[in-house]
Amino acid sequence: MDVKIEPSWKEVLKDEFEKPYFDILTGFVRKEYQTQTIYPPAKLIFNAFDLCPFNQTKVVILGQDPYHGYGQAHGLCFSVNDGIQFPPSLINIFKEIQDDVHVPMPSSGNLERWAKQGVLLLNAILTVRAGEAASHQSKGWEEFTDRVIKELSDKKENLVFMLWGSYAQRKGMVIDTKKHLVLKAVHPSPLSAYRGFLGCHHFSQANAYLQSHGKPTIQW
């Protein structure tokens, strides 16, 4: 199957695109876009991969599924388009960055600037119906993104994985902790952020680890 995705990812995942489940998933997603309002826009489904090639990935942040409100999702977990009000989890991420690495609250919630520095902003599920959280759960996306995580763990060294909340931590169990730094905390949602996300210092820890392995740090 010819999937429009950044070339280095296409090479790494080429046999995944030929598996029966991916064919079924593609059929489901195509029909959903034809009959429902689906986020993100179809051309941005693989935006996280397109902005952060496999060979440039240094940090992986794992989300669950895209925002389901109008104009929010653009294919990067936790990120929203320019001009869109910050969702509560993103506000807490920016608060932690402010406290941890002393970067002031930005004017935009668009995290493309991170992706272009090598931060893969990966949702476990890449599409969603408008207004229906987790509506594309268990359709095949999870299997696809499990493979993405496994390929990163197996074929690269000295990555930083940020796993926030129990869902991300379960999904990250395949990561080789001998080769990579795995940072865990509760989810940045207002329901849990004060139980350990705020004060986790993941952003400074990530940069210290990258620096110790001779890699450029991230300008958060």
Side-chain angles (χ1 to χ4, degrees), residues 99-188:
D99 290 344
D100 186 20
V101 293
H102 313 298
V103 174
M105 188 77 69
S107 58
S108 171
N110 188 328
L111 303 181
E112 285 185 8
R113 60 188 182 276
W114 295 1
K116 291 172 182 175
Q117 296 178 74
V119 181
L120 182 68
L121 294 158
L122 179 66
N123 275 317
I125 302 159
L126 299 188
T127 52
V128 69
R129 277 190 188 183
E132 295 182 44
S135 47
H136 285 184
Q137 198 171 352
S138 304
K139 301 297 184 183
W141 280 131
E142 295 94 334
E143 187 172 344
F144 174 72
T145 51
D146 281 349
R147 171 70 187 278
V148 170
I149 294 165
K150 186 86 166 62
E151 288 293 316
L152 286 163
S153 177
D154 290 354
K155 293 185 176 172
K156 294 183 71 73
E157 292 185 359
N158 309 132
L159 296 179
V160 180
F161 290 87
M162 296 184 182
L163 307 179
W164 301 332
S166 56
Y167 181 91
Q169 288 164 25
R170 284 194 303 273
K171 196 168 178 70
M173 288 173 73
V174 299
I175 299 163
D176 184 346
T177 55
K178 297 185 185 74
K179 292 170 61 183
H180 307 288
L181 177 64
V182 178
L183 300 173
K184 297 179 182 179
V186 297
H187 196 275

Side-chain angles (χ1 to χ4, degrees), residues 14-137:
K14 60 187 176 188
D15 62 328
E16 202 70 13
F17 298 136
E18 302 306 321
K19 291 182 178 176
Y21 90 86
F22 197 85
D23 190 44
I24 294 166
L25 169 64
T26 304
F28 166 77
V29 169
R30 191 176 291 121
K31 187 175 181 183
E32 284 283 284
Y33 274 97
Q34 289 167 354
T35 59
Q36 307 285 335
T37 300
I38 304 298
Y39 300 132
K43 65 182 180 182
L44 297 178
I45 291 173
F46 295 112
N47 198 25
F49 302 89
D50 294 337
L51 292 174
C52 182
F54 181 81
N55 47 19
Q56 293 174 28
T57 301
K58 297 185 289 189
V59 178
V60 181
I61 298 178
L62 194 58
Q64 192 159 351
D65 72 336
Y67 295 123
H68 53 268
Y70 175 77
Q72 292 179 304
H74 63 131
L76 309 177
C77 73
F78 294 107
S79 178
V80 290
N81 281 304
D82 293 322
I84 297 292
Q85 186 175 356
F86 299 174
S89 292
L90 186 57
I91 291 173
N92 285 332
I93 290 169
F94 288 149
K95 279 182 182 175
E96 176 57 24
I97 289 171
Q98 195 167 13
D99 290 344
D100 186 20
V101 293
H102 313 298
V103 174
M105 188 77 69
S107 58
S108 171
N110 188 328
L111 303 181
E112 285 185 8
R113 60 188 182 276
W114 295 1
K116 291 172 182 175
Q117 296 178 74
V119 181
L120 182 68
L121 294 158
L122 179 66
N123 275 317
I125 302 159
L126 299 188
T127 52
V128 69
R129 277 190 188 183
E132 295 182 44
S135 47
H136 285 184
Q137 198 171 352

